[in-house]
Amino acid sequence: FEGEDAMFSRENLLACCCVSSMLVAPLAANEPDRSPISLAVSADRTLCLTANHTSGSVSLVNLSEGRVESELAVGRGPADVVWLDEATAIVSLLHDDSLAVVKKSGNKLSLLRTAVVGDEPRGIAISKDKRLVFVALGGEDAIAVVEVQGLIN
């Protein structure tokens, strides 16, 4: 299936938005540089989270309306973000050597907790059964394996 705004593979694994169809306002002079470095689209494809590297924040973006609903300070150097479920996301914090657990309630984000995982965490993957989080540790040339229950409880 191919359309003006999206493209899906036969397995429905690849989705691409036509960014030119979204209206994005330029930054005001007093707006900080956020440097979004990674994003995660919600399962229902209505929302997106961005890991904003230089501002140390995560933004919740309404994709159909093209606007930021919420922004939350999470720590130093967010490098990756993944949805765990429809209300919970995990963010790697490169310069804090940690993961941040973020909760969405309505259109607002809140920080549930942070947990140290190792030197320079970057990419994140969630196991299919959602019991484990795999984190690439750039400073250790290793992969950390973290139990989800330990992060969210």
Side-chain angles (χ1 to χ4, degrees):
F1 165 78
E2 287 190 40
E4 184 176 316
D5 295 323
M7 172 178 58
F8 302 97
S9 70
R10 290 185 193 275
E11 296 80 25
N12 204 21
L13 298 176
L14 175 65
C16 300
C17 294
C18 179
V19 176
S20 64
S21 69
M22 295 178 67
L23 298 175
V24 179
L27 286 178
N30 61 346
E31 285 283 326
D33 174 23
R34 287 175 175 79
S35 299
I37 194 169
S38 182
L39 63 85
V41 177
S42 62
D44 66 3
R45 295 186 176 104
T46 62
L47 300 170
C48 174
L49 286 171
T50 63
N52 305 321
H53 192 71
T54 58
S55 65
S57 66
V58 173
S59 295
L60 178 66
V61 180
N62 180 318
L63 293 175
S64 61
E65 297 181 22
R67 75 166 181 255
V68 175
E69 299 285 353
S70 180
E71 185 173 0
L72 175 70
V74 291
R76 298 179 308 139
D80 198 10
V81 59
V82 296
W83 289 98
L84 182 59
D85 57 39
E86 66 279 348
T88 311
I90 299 173
V91 182
S92 61
L93 302 173
L94 180 68
H95 304 305
D96 287 336
D97 298 335
S98 301
L99 295 178
V101 181
V102 173
K103 285 295 224 178
K104 180 184 85 64
S105 179
N107 290 335
K108 297 294 178 192
L109 297 175
S110 62
L111 183 63
L112 181 64
R113 69 174 297 201
T114 60
V116 174
V117 291
D119 193 24
E120 298 181 356
R122 295 176 189 259
I124 305 170
I126 307 289
S127 65
K128 190 172 184 176
D129 62 8
K130 299 192 179 203
R131 293 178 47 201
L132 299 173
V133 178
F134 301 92
V135 185
L137 301 174
E140 297 178 25
D141 291 331
I143 296 173
V145 181
V146 181
E147 291 185 1
V148 168
Q149 287 302 317
L151 280 176
I152 60 175
N153 293 331

